[in-house]
């Protein structure tokens, strides 16, 4: 985050004199305590300063990039996941293509009769199946999907950065977010490269 000149000065004052009360910082800047309040709030929230009641402000010693890293590591999958789009195993490739268009997604998750994750179908899986003259209404998606146990998954409480790393390492576009049930995995969300991009934009523009 970009700090104002006054905020930079406050950090310097606290670095040299901390712990120091808001009153004393205001005195040094010849400003009122009220004028300074928003700056102190921002610096405390961003993690540059820490405030202890009856003691005052002190410098945390953390640099901007350290604070940014800390913040990114706190992002959880649940904060950024999207709604999953699923199809049944016996849905046809034709239906899967329609669902992909209607759901405006690039990855479909395939579920079995008990609604548990059994596979993943990507855009290229469907393109591949569409090449040639086969009747797409007669090919069920379970024939062409990537199937369990070869599906890479994530959980809601996983760190977003870990999910992002998996997408890069495995060279795939999306991960199902799952909950473990007695009879398999329930699909509760999806994390895609778009969600990661959104997190990146939010981080910078916040
Ligand atoms: P595309 O094939 O459209 O480029 P992906 O790169 O996401 O899309 O998929 C590449 C291959 O990996 C496809 O065959 C797909 O079925 C498979 N795949 C996609 N997501 C996963 C996943 N989460 N776990 C395992 N395999 C996956």
């Amino acid at each position: 985050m970009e700090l104002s000149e006054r905020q930079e000065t406050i950090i310097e004052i606290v670095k040299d004199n901390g712990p120091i009360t808001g009153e004393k910082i205001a005195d040094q800047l010849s400003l009122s305590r009220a004028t300074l309040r928003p700056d102190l709030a921002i610096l405390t929230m961003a993690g540059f300063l820490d405030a202890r009641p009856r003691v005052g402000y002190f410098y945390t010693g953390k640099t901007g990039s350290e604070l940014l890293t800390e913040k990114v590591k706190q992002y959880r999958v649940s904060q950024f996941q999207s709604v999953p789009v699923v199809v049944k195993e016996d849905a046809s490739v034709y239906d899967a293509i329609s669902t992909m268009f209607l759901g405006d997604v690039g990855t479909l998750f395939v579920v079995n009769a008990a609604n548990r994750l059994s596979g993943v179908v990507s855009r290229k899986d469907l393109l591949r199946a569409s090449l040639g003259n086969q009747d797409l209404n007669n090919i069920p998606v379970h024939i062409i999907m990537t199937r369990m146990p070869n599906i890479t998954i994530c959980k809601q409480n996983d760190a977003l950065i870990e999910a992002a790393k998996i997408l890069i390492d495995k060279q795939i576009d999306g991960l199902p977010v799952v909950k473990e049930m007695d009879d398999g995995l329930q699909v509760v969300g999806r994390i895609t490269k778009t969600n990661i991009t959104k997190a990146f934009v939010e981080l910078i523009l916040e």
Side-chain angles (χ1 to χ4, degrees):
M1 73 184 276
E2 205 140 318
L3 298 179
S4 69
E5 210 170 296
R6 188 199 281 165
Q7 288 162 354
E8 297 276 8
T9 313
I10 294 171
I11 290 180
E12 288 311 312
I13 292 173
V14 178
K15 249 189 214 173
D16 296 341
N17 306 284
I20 176 171
T21 62
E23 209 76 44
K24 288 200 177 123
I25 302 171
D27 281 350
Q28 290 209 26
L29 290 168
S30 308
L31 293 168
S32 75
R33 172 80 179 84
T35 313
L36 225 52
R37 195 163 290 132
D39 290 316
L40 288 170
I42 287 170
L43 291 172
T44 311
M45 259 184 323
F48 290 102
L49 303 183
D50 219 337
R52 289 220 189 108
R54 287 182 297 278
V55 179
Y57 292 90
F58 57 92
Y59 179 58
T60 59
K62 288 177 184 157
T63 63
S65 73
E66 276 171 342
L67 291 166
L68 205 61
T69 307
E70 260 179 27
K71 192 157 183 198
V72 171
K73 283 186 177 163
Q74 277 165 9
Y75 281 170
R76 297 293 113 183
V77 161
S78 57
Q79 295 168 262
F80 293 92
Q81 71 185 44
S82 306
V83 176
V85 179
V86 301
V87 289
K88 294 277 193 200
E89 288 175 349
D90 56 2
S92 68
V93 167
Y94 185 93
D95 286 339
I97 293 172
S98 306
T99 306
M100 193 172 264
F101 271 97
L102 290 172
D104 195 15
V105 291
T107 309
L108 296 174
F109 303 126
V110 185
V111 293
N112 62 21
N115 261 326
R116 301 299 174 240
L117 179 67
S118 64
V120 170
V121 176
S122 75
R123 276 179 281 226
K124 277 191 215 127
D125 293 334
L126 292 172
L127 276 176
R128 197 178 302 115
S130 307
L131 292 173
N133 296 317
Q134 293 133 321
D135 182 357
L136 302 182
N137 281 298
N138 287 330
I139 315 169
V141 278
H142 70 81
I143 303 282
I144 65 151
M145 69 187 187
T146 302
R147 62 188 61 248
M148 289 287 275
N150 299 322
I151 305 298
T152 310
I153 50 122
C154 67
K155 306 240 171 96
Q156 284 184 301
N157 203 33
D158 288 348
L160 189 72
I161 189 69
E162 289 305 323
K165 218 166 139 292
I166 292 172
L167 291 178
I168 300 293
D169 290 348
K170 303 253 176 189
Q171 298 185 6
I172 49 180
D173 292 344
L175 297 176
V177 184
V178 300
K179 268 190 187 154
E180 255 172 73
M181 311 300 266
D182 290 342
D183 56 348
L185 301 174
Q186 184 190 354
V187 184
V188 295
R190 101 191 126 87
I191 279 287
T192 66
K193 290 177 177 172
T194 307
N195 300 115
I196 309 291
T197 311
K198 277 191 183 148
F200 175 72
V201 170
E202 184 181 309
L203 185 73
I204 303 304
L205 298 185
E206 209 174 40

